């Protein structure tokens, strides 16, 4: 599934936040579209904040979803783990991963990219 297949998917160019709001991991709700934004040494990335196993937000049972080493996102509902760079599953059913959302930063703001 692509992030654009979600009924609440934002349009290209939608402003998410100001660039200074994101360092590390931040969860956003964009009018019903759950988005995780990560900024770290690997750059800026976005993922749909829905575990592909249960379609619950990764932070459904709490906001501590980033592993101590910052390498994995951990579903708070059933502990499946996903790589923070690629979104690929690290622990859990191997046939799924997080849906990546393209982002861009311009003029001090973070946008949905095309």
């Amino acid at each position: 599934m692509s992030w654009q297949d979600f009924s609440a998917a934002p349009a290209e160019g939608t402003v998410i936040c100001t660039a200074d709001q994101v360092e590390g991991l931040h969860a956003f709700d964009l009018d019903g579209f759950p988005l995780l934004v990560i900024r770290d040494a690997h750059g800026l990335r976005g993922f749909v904040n829905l575990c592909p196993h249960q379609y619950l937000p990764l932070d459904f049972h709490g906001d501590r979803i980033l592993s101590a080493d910052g390498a994995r996102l951990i579903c708070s509902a059933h502990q499946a783990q996903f790589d923070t760079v690629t979104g690929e599953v690290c622990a859990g059913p191997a046939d799924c991963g997080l849906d990546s959302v393209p982002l861009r930063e311009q003029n001090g703001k973070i946008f949905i990219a095309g």
Side-chain angles (χ1 to χ4, degrees):
M1 175 181 265
S2 166
W3 70 275
Q4 294 169 316
D5 294 330
F6 290 88
S7 61
E12 179 181 344
T14 298
V15 176
I16 299 167
C17 63
T18 60
D20 62 356
Q21 286 181 273
V22 178
E23 188 59 44
L25 172 70
H26 196 92
F28 293 93
D29 182 323
L30 302 177
D31 294 324
F33 183 79
L35 178 66
L36 291 174
V37 176
I38 302 170
R39 184 200 306 271
D40 59 18
H42 299 284
L44 180 67
R45 298 168 311 287
F47 297 102
V48 176
N49 185 12
L50 288 176
C51 179
H53 305 124
Q54 298 179 349
Y55 288 99
L56 292 171
L58 295 179
D59 55 352
F60 185 73
H61 289 297
D63 60 0
R64 296 188 58 144
I65 62 171
L66 187 63
S67 65
D69 64 2
R72 294 173 317 282
L73 293 167
I74 304 168
C75 177
S76 65
H78 70 297
Q79 307 307 304
Q81 298 180 25
F82 306 91
D83 183 274
T84 59
V85 175
T86 65
E88 293 177 3
V89 68
C90 301
D95 61 342
C96 60
L98 298 177
D99 294 312
S100 179
V101 178
L103 303 177
R104 67 180 164 89
E105 185 174 343
Q106 184 177 349
N107 298 326
K109 294 182 180 176
I110 297 174
F111 298 85
I112 299 291

